[in-house]
Amino acid sequence: MLRTALRNVFAHRARLIMTALAITLGVAFVSGTLVFGDTVAEALRGASARSLKDVAVSVQAEARRGSDTGADDTVSTALTGELADRVRTVPGVTSVRPTVNGTATLAAKDGRPLDADTSWQNLATNYAPDAAHGDRDARFPLSAGRGPVDSGELALDRGTAERAGYRVGDTVRFATRGPALTKKLVGTVDTDDPRVRAGGSLALFDTRTAQQLFLQDGRFDELAVGSAPGTDPEELTGRIRALLPPEGITVTSGARLAREQAAQIAESTKELTRMLLAFAGIALFVGVFIIANTFTMLIAQRSRETALLRAVGASRRQVVRAVLAEAALLGLGASAAGIALGTGIATAVRPILDAAGAGLPDGPLVISADTLLRSLLTGVGVTVLAAWLPSRRAAKTAPVEALSSVDQAPPRRGMLMRNSLGGLLTGLGLLTLLYVSTRRDGADANLQAAALGSLLTLTGLIVIAPLLSRPLIRLAGTVTTRLFGVSGRLAEENALRNPRRTAATASALMIGLALITGLSVTGGSTDAALQDAAVRGLIADYKVSNAGYGGIDPALAGKVADVPGVARAVPVASSTLGVRGRAATFTGADPRQLAAVSDLEFSSGSLADLGPGRVALSDQLAEETGLSKGDTFPGTLGFGRETRELTVAGVYRRTRTVGGAVGTLGDVLPYAVGGRLDSVLVEAAADGRTGGLDQRIREALGNSPLLQVRDRAQLTKAQSGEIDTMLTMMYGLLGMTVVIAVFGVVNTLAMSVFERTREIGLLRAIGLDDRGVRRMVRLESVVISLFGAVLGIGTGIFLAWACGSLARASLPQYRIVLPWARLGLFLLLGPAIGVLAAVWPARRAARLNTLRAIDAQ
């Protein structure tokens, strides 16, 4: 029986090639993900280890705002130059490198802000040379020029300098928290920091300048301590810890810090790997249908051979083992090819992601034994599992029954049980999703119910697909018969000849398109809701804000109002308001001016009713706290800094622009961070709407790279950018399932043509020409693909509608928006896939020799 299995594998190479490709792609997805995850994790660990190479002990301090001077915008730490000198005296310490950290947003050479929207990635620190490394900072190898040594100089990482168009000797304009500053570029460096490589920037200053920009003179964020060879790092850590104040300072050994960073890296890459493996699982799930379909058809075609084996003494168990051995051999070969392809994919993914701004550090390709074993077991296991039911069906067939017919229709009893089970699963799934559609919060229980309902619905539709195929294919067949005559009618009958096979082939395509459609509808609806939320209640022409979250000096609002073309400039501050145990964003502005640049919908009261101690609450906050117009309550202002008695002057529909509560500027500004404005809302005059007003505002405020002057279109685009990027990535990942589904259609048609060799010969003998044969096969493929596409698109829309209600908990503006153009494209994708998949089978059918085909058994 083993020799029989081996012979069958090599005897049907052409028939198994599409199945092998489906397995190969699925395993390539799995192995590529695992290799990529291991490679990235190792590269990040390597970069982390290099940054801690000479660090025996790390002394880190907590930042304190306004600790020494009383100014809210002053940042300090407990680490001083005196403490650094004390650490240098500890036995075993050979070096102490003081570090100052901050952020600096640069302007490009042409004046445009560089990476203003990702200011948290725009790193800045001090360049700290030491004699042990030739008066250079070992963290940042120089690529050109030298390091900064006085207050008029800075260095940049090489990638930032190239993107901004700077060369050594140029004057660089940048901002840390306030107005723009300029310094001379004296050098460029290399860095492995993933935040910088992922699209951020790095600016280096001499130590005193960095302290003045980000802390205070003589203060540091961290001390990196080097030790003499043979020094015990844990013992040295203890000696340093005993020397320093117990509060506000953390002392950690370099080895422990490296382990902690390695654990964080492993956890972060694990999440990415899990997400990619989820998509790989979907691809393999689709491949199961192709594998099961292939073995079902192969076993049906070998029914005479199976009967003869049973007649000469082969038991049912031996027949099952032979089929499973054949499946295992196929899975092993395809998995080996998949591992090789996956390794190539993992190698190619990193430069592609780097080009898109991922900024992954360099490192060797990591192919572990665990990855190889898991990939092989996955490929072989999925193939054997998919072949198990067909093997049992073959073993249960009586020899006489198998000898009498090549391909019998499924027994009615089996179809009845299958349809009943499919109806039950689908019904349970639909009821669960209908329940989910009534929920309005994203609690874990509701998310789990949504996942369960989606799984039940998809599974039920897969099981009941043979029943659904008849009416839908009959409908499609009516069209093909009218348009293409006999070829169209034959295509319809061929598609209906074996409903199980047709349904299994269409189900593979259905799963892929259902997920892509659901993702498209959900993503498009979220995108529309975010865009609506970005400008809802806002009728101002421009919003002026600080990209670095440092706020805006209140004095600058007057400068904006004086810009030619500005009709009104409304300063807006924000803080927090505690209301009966609920925390909300508290927005402050002059009520009369705010009415001119916003369009809040009040259910009671109005902006005119606001005044000192009189606030308006959003409908959501009012409902949660049980307050209404006229009520008074103790409000906690500014992160618990003060409690005041406040009166509810009105209730309005909540918007993202305003937040949970609105008061006067005088009630809010004293509790804002640093006493600074959150934004300035600008209404343009008639002569200011012709263009260029945003640039005039920027110039009036010093043209700081941190300054953002955005109109309504730019505000909505800023909200939708990340959604569009995520959708594009997921479309690419789910596209793999559609590719695998195409192989399934090709395989089914090719094997179906082989089964109908005699029939095709007879059709040609009675007058059906080559063109008619090719058309018949193409139309059969189109009908099957269209059935899968219609079922998938309809299912995806329903899943998006049912589960989308959960998004309203965090995004009240969420409404289902159907992307009709994209859905139309998906619908056209069905026939397109059918035509593409039928190219080879149709050509093979048309080239059959008529006499040999008639003589085929």
Side-chain angles (χ1 to χ4, degrees):
M1 295 304 292
L2 180 59
R3 286 197 298 270
T4 301
L6 289 170
R7 185 183 63 81
N8 284 331
V9 170
F10 293 108
H12 304 292
R13 289 190 299 270
R15 302 184 210 175
L16 293 173
I17 187 169
M18 293 300 165
T19 304
L21 281 173
I23 303 169
T24 297
L25 285 177
V27 173
F29 211 153
V30 173
S31 63
T33 297
L34 294 174
V35 171
F36 175 72
D38 291 343
T39 299
V40 170
E42 182 62 29
L44 290 172
R45 282 193 294 268
S48 175
R50 286 192 294 273
S51 68
L52 296 171
K53 180 180 178 182
D54 298 323
V55 179
V57 180
S58 172
V59 182
Q60 299 177 350
E62 299 175 2
R64 301 195 298 255
R65 186 173 293 276
S67 58
D68 290 346
T69 65
D72 287 340
D73 59 349
T74 301
V75 180
S76 181
T77 73
L79 285 180
T80 63
E82 180 186 352
L83 289 180
D85 291 337
R86 270 202 255 168
V87 172
R88 289 188 179 94
T89 64
V90 175
V93 171
T94 57
S95 65
V96 176
R97 185 181 65 227
T99 302
V100 181
N101 297 319
T103 59
T105 301
L106 283 72
K109 193 171 184 178
D110 59 7
R112 60 183 173 84
L114 188 70
D115 308 321
D117 290 330
T118 56
S119 58
W120 62 274
Q121 289 181 258
N122 301 334
L123 309 181
T125 187
N126 63 317
Y127 187 81
D130 63 84
H133 295 91
D135 289 328
R136 294 187 177 187
D137 193 327
R139 299 172 297 168
F140 308 113
L142 286 167
S143 59
R146 59 176 175 81
V149 295
D150 61 46
S151 60
E153 300 175 344
L154 86 164
L156 299 176
D157 72 279
R158 181 168 51 178
T160 298
E162 291 174 353
R163 283 190 296 119
Y166 288 122
R167 294 183 178 180
V168 174
D170 289 341
T171 298
V172 178
R173 192 162 56 86
F174 67 95
T176 56
R177 287 178 303 206
L181 303 172
T182 57
K183 295 186 186 297
K184 181 180 178 181
L185 179 64
V186 296
T188 59
V189 302
D190 293 321
T191 178
D192 284 333
D193 194 302
R195 293 169 294 178
V196 178
R197 293 175 62 91
S201 60
L202 173 66
L204 302 174
F205 306 93
D206 67 280
T207 298
R208 185 174 182 185
T209 300
Q211 290 172 333
Q212 293 170 346
L213 289 173
F214 307 119
L215 293 173
Q216 296 176 17
D217 281 337
R219 303 285 177 148
F220 304 98
D221 289 302
E222 181 184 5
L223 302 177
V225 180
S227 64
T231 304
D232 187 308
E234 295 298 334
E235 182 179 344
L236 181 61
T237 301
R239 289 200 295 266
I240 294 175
R241 185 181 291 117
L243 185 69
L244 299 176
E247 295 182 358
I249 296 177
T250 302
V251 183
T252 310
S253 69
R256 177 172 296 181
L257 192 61
R259 290 195 298 270
E260 291 175 355
Q261 291 187 1
Q264 293 174 356
I265 290 169
E267 190 61 32
S268 62
T269 55
K270 187 185 296 183
E271 291 301 320
L272 174 63
T273 303
R274 284 174 180 169
M275 184 192 74
L276 293 175
L277 283 176
F279 287 98
I282 294 171
L284 284 172
F285 183 63
V286 171
V288 166
F289 293 95
I290 299 172
I291 300 165
N293 233 12
T294 301
F295 276 94
T296 298
M297 297 172 74
L298 282 174
I299 287 167
Q301 292 169 14
R302 297 204 302 258
S303 56
R304 288 180 179 271
E305 176 185 318
T306 304
L308 287 173
L309 289 172
R310 293 291 309 281
V312 298
S315 65
R316 289 185 177 183
R317 183 174 297 178
Q318 286 178 311
V319 171
V320 171
R321 287 175 178 173
V323 174
L324 294 183
E326 183 179 347
L329 291 171
L330 176 66
L332 186 63
S335 297
I339 291 172
L341 178 60
T343 302
I345 292 173
T347 305
V349 163
R350 185 162 57 182
I352 293 174
L353 291 179
D354 282 343
L360 300 175
D362 296 328
L365 190 69
V366 179
I367 306 175
S368 66
D370 181 63
T371 293
L372 296 177
L373 183 60
R374 290 168 66 182
S375 300
L376 280 176
L377 289 177
T378 299
V380 174
V382 166
T383 308
V384 171
L385 180 64
W388 182 67
L389 284 177
S391 69
R392 287 180 59 84
R393 193 176 298 124
K396 289 180 180 179
T397 304
V400 174
E401 181 183 349
L403 287 168
S404 64
S405 176
V406 173
D407 186 20
Q408 290 186 332
R412 295 185 61 183
R413 180 182 177 186
M415 292 298 291
L416 179 62
M417 292 180 62
R418 175 174 180 149
N419 293 337
S420 300
L421 177 61
L424 177 63
L425 291 174
T426 305
L428 289 174
L430 292 177
L431 288 174
T432 304
L433 290 175
L434 289 174
Y435 164 76
V436 169
S437 68
T438 64
R439 310 305 299 171
R440 292 294 182 270
D441 61 87
D444 290 343
N446 293 328
L447 294 174
Q448 292 171 5
L452 177 62
S454 301
L455 180 62
L456 287 173
T457 301
L458 282 173
T459 305
L461 287 174
I462 291 168
V463 176
I464 207 174
L467 180 64
L468 298 176
S469 67
R470 290 190 175 277
L472 292 177
I473 290 179
R474 287 289 185 196
L475 180 62
T478 303
V479 177
T480 58
T481 301
R482 285 180 179 272
L483 295 177
F484 302 102
V486 174
S487 296
R489 179 54 183 255
L490 290 172
E492 175 195 349
E493 294 299 328
N494 289 335
L496 290 173
R497 180 174 299 185
N498 192 322
R500 280 180 172 169
R501 180 188 306 168
T502 298
T505 305
S507 293
L509 183 59
M510 182 266 288
I511 295 170
L513 283 179
L515 295 174
I516 291 177
T517 301
L519 177 67
S520 182
V521 173
T522 303
S525 301
T526 303
D527 193 2
L530 286 173
Q531 292 186 29
D532 180 44
V535 296
R536 179 180 286 274
L538 180 68
I539 57 177
D541 296 296
Y542 292 96
K543 181 178 181 179
V544 183
S545 58
N546 188 325
Y549 307 103
I552 297 175
D553 187 339
L556 296 181
K559 292 186 177 181
V560 176
D562 293 337
V563 174
V566 172
R568 183 179 281 101
V570 183
V572 178
S574 66
S575 183
T576 60
L577 177 64
V579 185
R580 294 185 176 178
R582 303 280 182 175
T585 300
F586 191 18
T587 301
D590 183 291
R592 289 174 298 177
Q593 291 187 334
L594 184 62
V597 293
S598 66
D599 187 23
L600 295 179
E601 302 175 17
F602 276 81
S603 58
S604 62
S606 67
L607 283 173
D609 296 325
L610 299 185
R614 297 178 58 81
V615 302
L617 304 182
S618 70
D619 50 2
Q620 181 179 344
L621 183 60
E623 181 181 355
E624 291 175 350
T625 58
L627 294 172
S628 59
K629 182 181 177 182
D631 293 340
T632 60
F633 65 94
T636 304
L637 302 169
F639 301 98
R641 289 163 58 185
E642 184 178 337
T643 299
R644 290 177 53 190
E645 194 75 14
L646 301 174
T647 301
V648 180
V651 177
Y652 61 92
R653 184 179 178 184
R654 185 182 184 277
T655 70
R656 180 170 294 194
T657 304
V658 175
V662 180
T664 64
L665 188 63
D667 279 344
V668 178
L669 186 59
Y671 306 99
V673 176
R676 303 170 75 86
L677 298 174
D678 178 69
S679 62
V680 177
L681 302 180
V682 178
E683 179 187 3
D687 59 346
R689 301 179 189 275
T690 57
L693 180 58
D694 56 340
Q695 186 58 36
R696 292 199 295 274
I697 294 174
R698 293 185 62 87
E699 291 172 356
L701 299 182
N703 206 12
S704 168
L706 284 171
L707 192 66
Q708 291 181 323
V709 184
R710 296 185 289 188
D711 58 21
R712 295 168 61 86
Q714 291 168 328
L715 288 171
T716 56
K717 184 178 180 181
Q719 291 287 345
S720 60
E722 292 184 3
I723 293 290
D724 293 339
T725 301
M726 181 189 69
L727 287 177
T728 301
M729 180 185 70
M730 290 191 173
Y731 285 147
L733 295 172
L734 288 175
M736 183 69 74
T737 64
V738 177
V739 173
I740 294 176
V742 171
F743 290 144
V745 178
V746 174
N747 211 22
T748 298
L749 289 174
M751 301 184 74
S752 181
V753 166
F754 177 82
E755 284 182 354
R756 301 201 303 268
T757 298
R758 182 182 179 87
E759 177 185 318
I760 293 172
L762 290 172
L763 289 172
R764 295 187 64 187
I766 61 176
L768 190 65
D769 58 9
D770 292 353
R771 184 180 180 184
V773 171
R774 286 195 295 268
R775 181 181 295 167
M776 176 186 70
V777 177
R778 289 195 195 104
L779 290 175
E780 179 184 355
S781 178
V782 168
V783 166
I784 294 173
S785 300
L786 191 59
F787 167 55
V790 169
L791 197 59
I793 293 171
T795 303
I797 293 174
F798 176 75
L799 294 178
W801 169 81
C803 301
S805 61
L806 302 181
R808 295 193 185 99
S810 57
L811 196 59
Q813 293 81 9
Y814 185 90
R815 299 290 183 276
I816 287 293
V817 177
L818 296 180
W820 293 108
R822 196 168 293 176
L823 294 178
L825 180 64
F826 293 161
L827 188 60
L828 291 175
L829 188 62
I833 287 174
V835 172
L836 178 66
V839 170
W840 177 59
R843 183 181 179 188
R844 184 174 181 273
R847 295 177 66 181
L848 288 175
N849 182 282
T850 302
L851 294 178
R852 291 180 180 174
I854 293 174
D855 190 50
Q857 298 295 324

